[in-house]
């Protein structure tokens, strides 16, 4: 079968201005139009959205306004020849999500989180995508005893069921992350996400999204997470980036910290035929804070370049020789063979 060419995507937040918890922005804010133009200029195919990237100040608007603004955005996107890959409800900014969104101890806050998620579905429908991504940012605790984790599983299932019932066509991809902003998140890995899917009313419409850095933060190999999700046919999107060990979420360019881990992710995507059903390769990467305005898109172009070079590496890997070494249990030679291949011989 002819190998599928990959399609690429990023979100407006990936052209970020450089603020961190210790300092303000270091690059001037840019309009959405500028970001869309940038995406087009560097030849990406799609954009991913938070609900309020698509409709700013969404909570201040009526349902009709939300739909109308989303429709206007869709026209802008289609004029630019760019697809909307997914929409994700931003459930971690509003004061009502301070103690978690779906798992808040306050029933009024939980109701807000569900309503906001249904509006996110309205936005997705207008933008022409059936994919809703749930990064469950604050669904967890700082203080273990502050919430009942057993009940929180029920809350998560209830919220997802409401979304599934609201629109019979949408699919929900859970993006797990083990910590940050929380000390402990309730859905830290792909195994948790897919197990949760089984408790919902329509497990076939609940899958996952793997982000490299999040898997590494959970102490896992992202390539194994990819194979696991694909074994269920449930890898519906991917956020490739990189992460140097167990620290804050770094969102480095793909392959920047560990080329071999990146190679194995690409190999896993290739062997599972990722992209054949229209899935996009998304880069959830950020510029380094030191980045000058004139180099603002380099992290995105570099990530795609590294990805494509690694696709070549995956396709030219001597599988026959690897199999012979595996048969001989000569894993030392196999290990070195991978290094030599990545180093260019
Ligand atoms: C944050 C997440 C976020 C999601 C979308 O760590 O990666 O960017 O991808 O809400
Ligand atoms: Mg992400």
């Amino acid at each position: 079968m002819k190998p599928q060419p990959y399609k690429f995507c990023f979100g407006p937040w990936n052209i970020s201005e450089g603020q961190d918890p210790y300092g303000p922005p270091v690059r001037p804010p840019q309009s959405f139009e500028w970001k869309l133009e940038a995406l087009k200029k560097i030849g990406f195919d799609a954009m991913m959205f938070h609900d309020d990237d698509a409709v700013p100040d969404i909570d201040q608007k009526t349902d009709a306004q939300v739909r109308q603004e989303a429709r206007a955005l869709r026209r802008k996107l289609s004029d630019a020849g760019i697809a909307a890959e997914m929409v994700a409800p931003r459930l971690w900014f509003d004061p009502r999500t301070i103690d978690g969104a779906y798992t808040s101890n306050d029933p009024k806050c939980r109701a807000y989180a569900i309503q906001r998620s249904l509006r996110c579905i309205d936005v997705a429908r207008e933008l022409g995508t059936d994919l809703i991504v749930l990064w469950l940012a604050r669904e967890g605790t700082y203080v273990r005893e502050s919430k009942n984790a057993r009940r929180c599983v029920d809350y998560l299932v209830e919220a997802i069921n409401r979304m599934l019932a609201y629109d019979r066509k949408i699919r929900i991809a859970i993006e797990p992350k083990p910590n940050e902003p929380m000390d402990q998140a309730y859905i830290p890995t792909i195994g948790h996400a897919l197990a949760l899917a089984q408790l919902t009313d329509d497990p076939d419409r609940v899958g996952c999204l793997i982000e490299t850095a999040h898997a590494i933060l959970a102490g896992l190999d992202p390539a194994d997470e990819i194979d696991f999700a694909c074994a269920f046919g449930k890898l519906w999107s991917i956020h490739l980036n990189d992460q140097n060990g167990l620290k804050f979420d770094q969102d480095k360019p793909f392959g920047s910290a560990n080329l071999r881990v990146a190679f194995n992710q690409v190999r896993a995507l290739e062997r599972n035929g990722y992209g054949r059903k229209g899935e996009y390769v998304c880069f959830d990467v950020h510029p380094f804070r030191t980045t000058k305005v004139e180099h603002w898109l380099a992290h995105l172009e570099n990530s795609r370049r590294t990805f494509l070079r690694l696709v070549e590496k995956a396709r030219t890997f001597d599988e026959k020789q690897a199999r012979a070494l595996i048969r001989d249990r000569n894993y030392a030679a196999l290990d070195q063979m991978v290094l030599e291949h990545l180093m260019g011989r």
Side-chain angles (χ1 to χ4, degrees):
M1 195 187 298
K2 201 161 154 272
Q4 179 82 14
Y6 287 98
K7 292 187 297 180
F8 298 100
C9 171
F10 65 80
W13 67 91
N14 298 120
I15 309 184
S16 50
E17 291 87 25
Q19 71 265 42
D20 67 15
Y22 308 97
V26 290
R27 290 174 292 275
Q30 295 291 358
S31 65
F32 175 77
E33 284 67 28
W34 186 91
K35 292 182 179 184
L36 180 60
E37 201 42 50
L39 182 141
K40 215 178 121 183
K41 194 177 78 199
I42 63 174
F44 276 59
D45 307 279
M47 200 177 241
M48 50 183 176
F49 291 94
H50 292 114
D51 51 3
D52 60 356
D53 294 322
V55 180
D57 303 317
I58 189 167
D59 284 326
Q60 269 61 264
K61 294 179 177 159
T62 64
D63 288 344
Q65 267 172 324
V66 168
R67 281 198 294 269
Q68 185 211 328
E69 286 191 31
R71 253 196 310 276
L73 173 60
R74 184 180 186 164
R75 278 194 295 275
K76 229 178 262 180
L77 291 173
S78 62
D79 287 349
I82 301 297
E85 192 242 357
M86 63 82 162
V87 187
R90 195 193 297 277
L91 294 172
W92 53 92
F93 253 68
D94 192 271
R96 284 165 288 186
T97 59
I98 197 165
D99 191 25
Y102 307 134
T103 64
S104 171
N105 280 325
D106 181 339
K108 282 205 246 18
C109 294
R110 294 200 299 275
Y112 160 77
I114 291 177
Q115 277 315 312
R116 169 90 182 230
S117 306
L118 303 186
R119 297 185 106 196
C120 172
I121 294 173
D122 292 341
V123 173
R125 208 187 272 139
E126 296 296 346
L127 293 186
T129 174
D130 66 347
L131 192 61
I132 303 295
V133 167
L134 294 184
W135 172 46
L136 301 168
R138 298 197 191 275
E139 315 300 1
T141 52
Y142 304 112
V143 177
R144 232 21 318 59
E145 297 80 5
S146 65
K147 284 188 186 176
N148 178 332
R150 170 65 184 79
R151 206 180 296 143
C152 287
V153 176
D154 295 340
Y155 291 154
L156 288 168
V157 170
E158 185 192 326
I160 292 173
N161 284 343
R162 289 283 303 277
M163 296 170 76
L164 292 170
Y166 184 69
D167 185 327
R168 302 267 160 207
K169 293 215 182 74
I170 55 142
R171 293 174 301 146
I172 294 176
I174 299 173
E175 178 180 356
K177 184 179 180 185
N179 59 281
E180 199 203 23
M182 305 315 291
D183 174 26
Q184 302 274 1
Y186 287 136
I187 307 295
T189 69
I190 291 302
H192 289 82
L194 297 186
L196 190 72
Q198 292 310 115
L199 292 180
T200 66
D201 289 340
D202 195 353
D204 288 349
R205 289 198 287 139
V206 185
C208 66
L209 180 165
I210 292 167
E211 174 162 322
T212 311
H214 298 180
I216 294 172
L217 285 169
L220 300 173
D221 188 317
D224 288 348
E225 289 281 84
I226 291 172
D227 277 322
F228 189 82
C230 289
F232 290 78
K234 284 196 169 187
L235 185 61
W236 296 339
S237 183
I238 188 141
H239 286 181
L240 295 178
N241 57 18
D242 214 350
Q243 171 72 26
N244 187 17
L246 303 183
K247 45 185 86 162
F248 61 93
D249 189 3
Q250 296 183 306
D251 296 337
K252 287 183 161 211
F254 182 53
S256 145
N258 192 329
L259 209 48
R260 186 175 184 171
V261 169
F263 169 66
N264 280 309
Q265 287 169 81
V266 173
R267 245 183 129 215
L269 292 174
E270 285 268 298
R271 76 171 145 250
N272 285 291
Y274 183 83
R276 270 193 219 134
K277 291 193 181 135
E279 305 92 337
Y280 288 85
V281 171
C282 309
F283 296 112
D284 201 350
V285 292
H286 285 275
F288 300 117
R289 191 162 191 266
T290 44
T291 302
K292 294 182 190 167
V293 168
E294 58 267 40
H295 307 142
W296 206 341
L297 304 176
H299 61 302
L300 294 159
E301 293 189 277
N302 290 343
S303 292
R304 179 181 54 188
R305 183 180 160 84
T306 304
F307 177 87
L308 289 170
R309 290 289 305 276
L310 289 175
V311 169
E312 258 170 59
K313 287 287 175 189
R315 289 177 188 172
T316 55
F317 186 65
D318 192 341
E319 300 287 352
K320 206 166 144 215
Q321 193 192 341
R323 274 196 302 275
L325 294 173
I326 290 166
R327 267 196 307 276
D328 189 30
R329 215 177 69 205
N330 191 348
Y331 297 164
L334 177 67
D335 185 48
Q336 189 61 20
M337 180 188 155
V338 173
L339 295 186
E340 298 286 343
H341 186 61
L342 289 177
M343 288 187 291
R345 259 193 298 141

